[in-house]
Amino acid sequence: MSTRIRVLLADDERLVRAGFRMILAGEPDITVVAEAADGREAVDAVRRVHPDVVLMDIRMPELDGLAATRRIVDAPGDAPRIIVLTTFDLDEYVFEALRSGASGFLLKDAPERQLLAAIRAAADGGSMFAPAVTGRLIERFTTRPDPLRRRPDLGRLTPRELEVLHLIAEGLSNGEIAARLVVTEHTAKTHVAHILDKLGLRDRVQAVVVAYESGLVTPGDIR
């Protein structure tokens, strides 16, 4: 990755793209390398300019953000990190986007500092999403009558790793996990890496989805 974070803006509203571009223009470590007005353009732009991070709207013509996310993540080579942009009325679509490989999500009216922090976290290999929003989103699924699917591979995790997975689902960073468990941050980071490897997960966001889908964590568990 270059010293400047290369960002692709994918949204069918020109004014929305212009607003994001204006916010990012003042950041010395971030540059907008391309824009896309629909999902198909976003997929093509990723192949052409190789951004580090994509800000992806969900509802777009030609190809929606969910399908575009899957195509980008499943393509050969290193995929960029994808941050999905949404509003509360698209909760179900966001959940599916996370399962499709997105690295996080933001509300379109998120504060500038949150947008910038999310981009930098994604470019650094991490993820950022509001725990309060995640709780509301997951609660919508865990209250459905269909039983949650248990993942047999959770049995591969040690008791400590299961504890760490629970803390990841709470939205804690590696430093916060270390403080909660009274271990070093390096140890916490190692536990997280083992969890992702054993469960075949791409990143922490997918770990959160697994924790809720499996029933290991429910919204009421979050402190």
Side-chain angles (χ1 to χ4, degrees):
M1 189 181 71
S2 63
T3 54
R4 289 172 68 88
I5 301 169
R6 296 163 54 82
V7 176
L8 166 65
L9 305 176
D11 196 295
D12 62 332
E13 295 186 28
R14 183 177 60 83
L15 291 179
V16 171
R17 299 197 308 271
F20 284 133
R21 180 180 281 275
M22 185 178 301
I23 292 172
L24 302 182
E27 301 304 310
D29 60 333
I30 298 175
T31 183
V32 176
V33 294
E35 296 184 17
D38 59 57
R40 197 176 305 281
E41 286 186 10
V43 174
D44 291 341
V46 166
R47 295 169 179 161
R48 187 177 69 254
V49 302
H50 306 291
D52 301 309
V53 177
V54 179
L55 294 184
M56 181 77 76
D57 188 21
I58 290 183
R59 287 185 173 175
M60 294 186 291
E62 298 297 329
L63 189 71
D64 66 33
L66 296 177
T69 294
R70 286 191 290 270
R71 291 192 186 185
I72 291 170
V73 170
D74 292 341
D78 295 331
R81 308 285 287 181
I82 300 176
I83 300 173
V84 172
L85 304 172
T86 186
T87 53
F88 275 122
D89 62 333
L90 297 179
D91 282 352
E92 184 168 351
Y93 297 106
V94 177
F95 189 86
E96 185 59 36
L98 296 180
R99 297 198 327 198
S100 298
S103 299
F105 63 88
L106 290 176
L107 299 180
K108 282 192 175 182
D109 59 356
E112 290 184 17
R113 58 178 174 73
Q114 191 174 92
L115 171 67
L116 297 173
I119 290 173
R120 292 181 176 116
D124 194 39
S127 305
M128 180 173 174
F129 49 97
V133 175
T134 303
R136 288 185 58 175
L137 195 166
I138 301 299
E139 185 173 11
R140 183 171 169 186
F141 288 85
T142 57
T143 54
R144 288 184 174 184
D146 295 335
L148 295 173
R149 293 171 295 170
R150 295 292 302 180
R151 287 185 54 129
D153 52 357
L154 285 176
R156 301 179 59 195
L157 302 184
T158 66
R160 176 62 95 181
E161 288 166 352
L162 285 170
E163 186 177 8
V164 171
L165 178 55
H166 196 291
L167 296 177
I168 292 173
E170 287 189 35
L172 272 62
S173 66
N174 288 342
E176 292 168 332
I177 290 173
R180 181 77 66 85
L181 300 180
V182 195
V183 298
T184 66
E185 187 168 348
H186 174 74
T187 297
K189 185 175 181 180
T190 299
H191 284 315
V192 172
H194 287 169
I195 291 168
L196 299 183
D197 181 62
K198 288 181 178 181
L199 299 183
L201 304 175
R202 183 179 296 107
D203 53 32
R204 297 168 68 98
V205 173
Q206 290 193 333
V208 172
V209 173
V210 166
Y212 279 103
E213 275 195 327
S214 66
L216 177 68
V217 177
T218 62
D221 294 335
I222 302 302
R223 300 181 184 179

